[in-house]
Amino acid sequence: MVFLKSATKLFAVLLVANLLPVSIGAFAQSAEPSPPVLDQKNKKVWIDPGYIEFLMGTQSYPPRHAQRGMAAAANSAHTAVAPRMVAYATGEKPGTIIIETQDRALYLVQPKGRALRYSIGVGREGYGWRGTERVSSKREWPEWRPPADMLARRPDLPAHMAGGPDNPLGARALYLGNTLYRIHGSNEPDSVGQSSSSGCFRMTNEDVIDLYRRVKVGTKVVVL
């Protein structure tokens, strides 16, 4: 009831202020009306035909566009979570890194059947891989040189980018063997927990800094 009263009040204000550039009779034309858009240049509010009528309907809250977003979030199986100590059964020695790509999780094995679990982003379809490597080097605020195949796909990318907050490798990087793959931070934290990389493993900058200080060069990394 409070929502409907607010919608009615909004309608009245816009009408009086001459900010409603569509006729009242046009409101019933749209089956999927969009929310109002503020046109700052022309100092008007553009309202999709049918939006006010939609607000008065029984299914107006949450709005349909919001419902779709809520449904997508509810159906997402992988979201980034803070690192935490968990029970983890494995035959690998403490200090080993185990990456479970399907679960978007990195485990740093601890004594007594425990492990520190971190959320990670993994390779998108066609770029995932499995195997065992060792941490061959570690870098703080690493520079980035996109590999040739990536530059071929994305000619807009620079051939070299200095380390820093805008660098895609983020605050820290752990290099895996002689491969081009890394465990690294990210300037896109929303990609953590998703399948979106070209084979590297992304972490939030906070998490990769924590992992970096716990891991030594030579650490075994098992990718499942």
Side-chain angles (χ1 to χ4, degrees):
M1 182 61 71
V2 173
F3 180 80
L4 294 180
K5 286 181 179 179
S6 299
T8 305
K9 188 177 296 184
L10 170 64
F11 174 79
V13 170
L14 294 175
L15 187 62
V16 171
N18 195 28
L19 294 176
L20 195 61
V22 296
S23 67
I24 298 176
F27 288 148
Q29 294 176 8
S30 176
E32 292 284 343
S34 300
V37 176
L38 175 61
D39 184 349
Q40 294 182 334
K41 181 178 180 180
N42 297 308
K43 299 187 183 303
K44 291 184 178 181
V45 175
W46 298 96
I47 296 186
D48 193 12
Y51 187 72
I52 299 299
E53 183 176 285
F54 168 69
L55 290 178
M56 300 301 181
T58 57
Q59 54 183 355
S60 64
Y61 189 81
R64 291 174 193 171
H65 67 281
Q67 292 174 5
R68 288 193 291 269
M70 292 165 63
N75 291 331
S76 175
H78 304 286
T79 55
V81 295
R84 64 181 187 273
M85 194 69 71
V86 298
Y88 192 75
T90 178
E92 298 292 345
K93 295 180 180 179
T96 303
I97 291 174
I98 300 177
I99 295 174
E100 297 196 3
T101 54
Q102 187 151 1
D103 291 338
R104 318 289 201 267
L106 181 152
Y107 296 91
L108 180 59
V109 179
Q110 304 293 302
K112 300 180 180 179
R114 308 281 285 174
L116 196 58
R117 183 190 189 280
Y118 301 84
S119 286
I120 58 170
V122 301
R124 59 185 179 274
E125 186 175 356
Y127 290 88
W129 60 282
R130 306 287 186 274
T132 300
E133 292 289 347
R134 297 268 177 183
V135 174
S136 54
S137 64
K138 300 166 57 178
R139 304 272 176 81
E140 296 186 13
W141 296 106
E143 63 180 14
W144 183 50
R145 296 180 185 273
D149 63 329
M150 182 178 290
L151 287 173
R153 297 193 310 270
R154 292 281 309 278
D156 57 303
L157 293 175
H160 171 263
M161 181 180 289
D166 295 329
N167 191 300
L169 298 185
R172 303 287 187 273
L174 306 175
Y175 294 78
L176 303 181
N178 294 320
T179 72
L180 297 175
Y181 300 121
R182 295 157 287 227
I183 300 168
H184 63 81
S186 178
N187 59 358
E188 298 179 333
D190 290 345
S191 67
V192 176
Q194 306 302 317
S195 178
S196 57
S197 79
S198 294
C200 290
F201 305 104
R202 297 181 183 179
M203 306 176 72
T204 64
N205 281 335
E206 294 81 2
D207 283 359
V208 79
I209 289 172
D210 182 77
L211 180 68
Y212 186 95
R213 68 182 179 82
R214 296 174 185 271
V215 170
K216 299 179 180 179
V217 172
T219 292
K220 183 179 180 181
V221 179
V222 181
V223 181
L224 302 176

